[in-house]
Amino acid sequence: MSFTEADSKAINTIRVLAADTVFKSNSGHPGAPMGCAPMAHLLFSRYMHYNPKNPKWANRDRFVLSNGHACALQYILLHLAGYPTSIEDLKQFRQLNSKTPGHPESHITTGIEVTTGPLGQGFANAVGLAIGEAHMAATFNKPGFELFNNYTFMITGDGCLQEGVASEAASLAGHLQLGKLIALYDDNHISIDGDTEVSFTEDVAKRFEAYGWHVQIVKDGNHDLEAIARAIEEAKKVTNKPSLIKVFTTIGFGSLQQGTEKVHGSPLKADDIVQLKKAFGFNPEEHFAVPKTTYDLYHAHASKGAKLNQEWDHLLEKYASSHPQLAAELKRRLAKKLPEGWAKELPRFTPADKPVATRKLSEAVLNKIADHLPELIIGSADLTGSNLTRWKTAVDFQPNNSGIGNYAGRYIRYGVREHGMSAVMNGLDAYGGLIPAGATFLNFISYASGAVRLSALTGHRVIYIMTHDSIGLGEDGPTHQPIETMAMIRATPNLIDFRPADGNETSGAYLYAIETKDRPSVLALTRQDLPQLEGSSIEKTLKGGYVLQEVHGADVTLVATGSEVSLIVDAAKLLKDHGIKARIVSMPSTKLFDEQSHDYRASVLIDGVPSVSVEAMSTFGWDRYAHESIGIDTFGASGPFKEVYKHFGLVPDVVAGKVQKIVAFYKKEGSVPSLVRKYFH
């Protein structure tokens, strides 16, 4: 492949724009974009297939800037390629309400595939994108109709490769033989603390070879475009391994401070930018200048992508004639539409049905709906037999040559990689046409919180199936018993909490989690059996909270979630024997309840009646829904679950005794504050 002066000018344009962009905002990281400009230029001007006029073309190559410290680079590349990111947007970098926020956010900036920033997350997202390609290709490609064959390209750095989530994802990618995943490692030997010799001296290439990756090294990433190009070409030839191309670069290339941490996280000085522009042949008096030759180079390549997109559209039309059912399914899934009538498959229950753990009720749901929702791609972090997430007809997602599954399989064995699993699922959702769900114990969602937070921030439809949700898991003890976990989940914006109390609420939780298009959901499920409740329903679950049992002239409202709803039902019976009338409210999702109308909330948490919450975890946050709370504000304890519940006083007679005292207190006070008015005003 031959290169011209136009390539050199384009690379230096990226470097100068990075300096101008970060200087204008007085915030950001100029060094990494300046150092990895050559490899980024080659991807966007020679190798990647994309169409700025149709940014969501299903078979486009995906690009992930895993290196959050190079955030300005992605906006510059999008601008040069012709996406709707203007020079004015570059000037607004990191400003409030701009299209160019501090780190790339896919829901804000057109052309960004995934929201990155926290180091390592983008790496794992890229693995998810590559799994998405492999699965969609295996599902829809037919002889003569190669609808899916895109690559996932990623630029990563020293920081990302130190993060555990990247290691988890890299290990999984090697096992899965994801040959369409190509990572360019910007090895500039600098982190914020200085030279990586102070903390990061391992042989990354050998580590990735051990993971099962194909590894190449480019010694001069500052100048040797031929070597970078050869490495990319060679990586594309390796179809049974993901590829890592280790490219040695100089951070802040061209700056007076190049090669040091001083260009890592601070703008270049004005005089440094002047000399930089002179050295690269730019007018130092001009800012945000882009030569016409650079625009021409990128726009010409984007035009090739548009032509490929057009050819793909024609191929899809022919595919629809030859494979009409598959084509209709593909179009439906890409449009995020669900099959007609799928929700009729959700099981419904009556009090006559036997008690069942909600994790087993979840299993029943999956067995009913999985074959009706082919976009569901589910997995577990090495807890399949405990999470009960593998349905009867499931096939594992494994390499076609493995003998234990194939790429058309929809059950992913994530291994003991909770954080990696969650970040990979964000990538799967970003790919399109898929609804990812992943499982572990509820307590271990804490391992994955960095990725879960990005699910919520970005609006990924990811379903977290979290079993063993309380002290009810018993003998495993306080190391495994979540106490503060639901409070963290409920406090996370846009993350929908579900702690269902029976079969109908479990089905309702799945109905919401699958039908929503831009929110992740957490389903907290029990190990122990729970009765099917009188008054529960799938539809009521969607309200977040509802009156399970109403009484006239109530003395108290008892509010609970999950396994404690049946507990307060039994406590209410004991209270009745003492002349106390108790309303029962089930609150499967506080987040959804918060979104209901004022009148509805006021009808559930009625004025003039004290409200008492009961939950086998932290009482933190319950003051929004209850005047008094009964729960656990210490860590749990090891033992048979019934004994542990009794130890913490979470049994009907003890709860009833406490509620009696609360009712007596408020009668003596003579007034009860309005929860809904207090909460919302």
Side-chain angles (χ1 to χ4, degrees):
M1 183 174 288
S2 59
F3 299 98
T4 68
E5 178 60 31
D7 291 289
S8 298
K9 196 67 175 179
I11 291 167
N12 290 333
T13 298
I14 294 171
R15 288 167 169 155
V16 169
L17 281 176
D20 277 346
T21 299
V22 176
F23 183 83
K24 176 71 167 56
S25 71
N26 196 32
S27 175
H29 307 272
M34 295 167 69
C36 62
M39 67 180 89
H41 165 71
L42 287 185
L43 290 179
F44 271 75
S45 69
R46 300 295 178 107
Y47 287 104
M48 283 181 51
H49 298 156
Y50 57 86
N51 180 11
K53 295 180 180 178
N54 182 19
K56 293 297 184 181
W57 168 34
N59 197 42
R60 67 193 181 279
D61 287 334
R62 270 58 167 188
F63 174 71
V64 176
L65 188 65
S66 175
N67 185 353
H69 293 144
C71 46
L73 174 64
Q74 190 146 18
Y75 301 133
I76 292 167
L77 293 170
L78 292 176
H79 170 69
L80 296 178
Y83 287 86
T85 301
S86 67
I87 287 292
E88 287 304 311
D89 292 324
L90 295 182
K91 292 178 180 179
Q92 292 297 312
F93 177 54
R94 295 197 163 198
Q95 302 306 301
L96 186 64
N97 296 325
S98 75
K99 291 198 296 184
T100 49
H103 291 94
E105 297 181 42
S106 58
H107 57 294
I108 290 178
T109 310
T110 301
I112 302 291
E113 298 290 352
V114 288
T115 299
T116 57
L119 296 177
Q121 294 293 331
F123 192 108
N125 296 163
V127 173
L129 289 166
I131 292 174
E133 184 280 331
H135 177 71
M136 294 293 275
T139 302
F140 290 104
N141 288 2
K142 299 296 177 185
F145 296 99
E146 195 170 356
L147 291 175
F148 292 96
N149 59 8
N150 69 277
Y151 286 89
T152 297
F153 293 99
M154 160 184 25
I155 292 179
T156 190
D158 294 303
C160 290
L161 297 184
Q162 293 173 59
E163 290 285 359
V165 64
S167 299
E168 291 179 25
S171 172
L172 180 64
H175 163 74
L176 293 175
Q177 302 177 22
L178 300 175
K180 293 287 183 67
L181 174 61
I182 299 175
L184 290 94
Y185 167 26
D186 174 28
D187 186 3
N188 58 37
H189 276 273
I190 293 294
S191 64
I192 290 175
D193 274 2
D195 195 294
T196 53
E197 67 181 5
V198 303
S199 61
F200 188 52
T201 54
E202 67 188 47
D203 191 325
V204 172
K206 288 183 178 178
R207 171 156 67 98
F208 272 74
E209 286 175 351
Y211 286 150
W213 287 55
H214 172 249
V215 178
Q216 301 175 79
I217 296 175
V218 174
K219 295 182 178 180
D220 182 6
N222 299 323
H223 306 94
D224 197 346
L225 299 182
E226 292 283 357
I228 299 172
R230 282 195 303 270
I232 295 172
E233 294 284 1
E234 189 63 29
K236 293 178 73 173
K237 294 176 185 176
V238 179
T239 60
N240 64 342
K241 293 181 178 182
S243 287
L244 180 79
I245 304 172
K246 181 177 178 178
V247 185
F248 288 103
T249 66
T250 301
I251 191 169
F253 185 84
S255 165
L256 297 173
Q257 304 291 340
Q258 70 175 30
T260 73
E261 71 277 10
K262 293 178 181 178
V263 292
H264 189 299
S266 300
L268 272 59
K269 303 297 183 185
D271 60 341
D272 196 357
I273 295 177
V274 168
Q275 71 80 30
L276 179 80
K277 290 180 177 179
K278 288 180 178 178
F280 289 151
F282 287 78
N283 183 349
E285 301 300 320
E286 294 181 350
H287 307 287
F288 295 92
V290 179
K292 183 177 181 299
T293 55
T294 297
Y295 280 133
D296 290 346
L297 188 63
Y298 278 81
H299 293 174
H301 187 71
S303 295
K304 293 178 182 177
K307 186 173 184 295
L308 290 171
N309 186 169
Q310 187 178 43
E311 292 170 0
W312 188 89
D313 290 342
H314 292 324
L315 182 67
L316 182 59
E317 290 177 11
K318 294 179 181 178
Y319 182 81
S321 298
S322 300
H323 306 280
Q325 289 184 323
L326 280 175
E329 181 189 323
L330 174 59
K331 291 176 182 178
R332 174 187 67 76
R333 287 167 59 170
L334 292 177
K336 280 195 168 185
K337 295 180 179 178
L338 297 171
E340 289 290 332
W342 78 272
K344 294 177 182 177
E345 302 299 323
L346 291 167
R348 293 175 183 265
F349 300 85
T350 71
D353 293 310
K354 67 179 183 179
V356 183
T358 52
R359 64 173 176 146
K360 287 194 69 66
L361 293 164
S362 165
E363 180 184 37
V365 169
L366 295 178
N367 273 301
K368 284 285 189 179
I369 68 172
D371 290 336
H372 295 274
L373 288 170
E375 54 263 59
L376 274 178
I377 185 163
I378 303 173
S380 169
D382 198 50
L383 286 170
T384 296
S386 295
N387 300 142
L388 304 178
T389 39
R390 195 174 190 274
W391 63 102
K392 292 176 183 177
T393 59
V395 174
D396 280 10
F397 178 87
Q398 297 282 358
N400 294 331
N401 61 5
S402 66
I404 54 175
N406 55 64
Y407 285 145
R410 295 194 287 131
Y411 193 79
I412 300 178
R413 308 281 186 164
Y414 283 105
V416 189
R417 305 181 180 100
E418 296 89 352
H419 198 180
M421 172 181 73
S422 302
V424 164
M425 289 196 295
N426 288 339
L428 280 168
D429 178 67
Y431 189 83
L434 299 167
I435 302 176
T440 184
F441 288 177
L442 177 60
N443 198 52
F444 301 143
I445 198 173
S446 299
Y447 276 137
S449 60
V452 176
R453 187 174 187 273
L454 284 180
S455 297
L457 190 155
T458 306
H460 287 303
R461 177 168 50 181
V462 172
I463 304 172
Y464 293 95
I465 304 171
M466 302 287 112
T467 69
H468 297 63
D469 73 335
S470 73
I471 58 170
L473 65 84
E475 291 86 349
D476 276 337
T479 59
H480 285 50
Q481 294 166 349
I483 298 295
E484 77 291 351
T485 313
M486 285 304 296
M488 177 189 74
I489 290 165
R490 290 166 179 153
T492 304
N494 203 43
L495 179 63
I496 305 303
D497 59 304
F498 284 106
R499 192 166 181 250
D502 71 351
N504 288 327
E505 289 191 359
T506 302
S507 291
Y510 272 105
L511 176 62
Y512 181 87
I514 290 168
E515 286 198 333
T516 188
K517 295 181 180 180
D518 55 6
R519 291 176 132 179
S521 300
V522 177
L523 278 62
L525 307 170
T526 67
R527 180 193 185 195
Q528 73 272 29
D529 290 343
L530 302 179
Q532 310 303 332
L533 299 167
E534 181 76 48
S536 71
S537 77
I538 291 175
E539 292 73 23
K540 290 176 183 177
T541 303
L542 304 182
K543 295 286 191 180
Y546 62 95
V547 180
L548 185 73
Q549 294 180 12
E550 187 63 275
V551 294
H552 179 70
D555 298 298
V556 67
T557 298
L558 301 181
V559 185
T561 75
S563 47
E564 287 70 69
V565 177
S566 55
L567 188 161
I568 63 172
V569 169
D570 290 341
K573 295 173 184 176
L574 298 177
L575 289 168
K576 186 177 180 181
D577 294 340
H578 290 85
I580 296 175
K581 297 179 180 180
R583 305 169 71 245
I584 304 297
V585 170
S586 179
M587 188 77 76
S589 173
T590 60
K591 200 72 64 72
L592 291 187
F593 182 70
D594 291 349
E595 295 176 357
Q596 304 309 310
S597 70
H598 179 277
D599 288 348
Y600 177 79
R601 293 190 302 268
S603 74
V604 175
L605 302 175
I606 60 175
D607 282 351
V609 177
S611 174
V612 181
S613 69
V614 182
E615 190 173 48
M617 19 186 99
S618 171
T619 61
F620 184 82
W622 275 106
D623 59 336
R624 300 176 69 169
Y625 315 100
H627 300 96
E628 307 294 338
S629 296
I630 299 171
I632 305 173
D633 289 315
T634 66
F635 288 110
S638 180
F641 82 90
K642 290 183 179 179
E643 294 181 18
V644 177
Y645 265 87
K646 188 174 182 180
H647 171 75
F648 285 105
L650 290 167
V651 288
D653 59 331
V654 176
V655 169
K658 291 180 179 179
V659 172
Q660 279 183 274
K661 294 178 181 178
I662 292 168
V663 170
F665 170 80
Y666 280 100
K667 282 186 176 178
K668 184 179 179 181
E669 286 287 301
S671 65
V672 181
S674 170
L675 278 172
V676 174
R677 192 170 295 117
K678 167 192 170 188
Y679 171 15
F680 291 98
H681 300 288

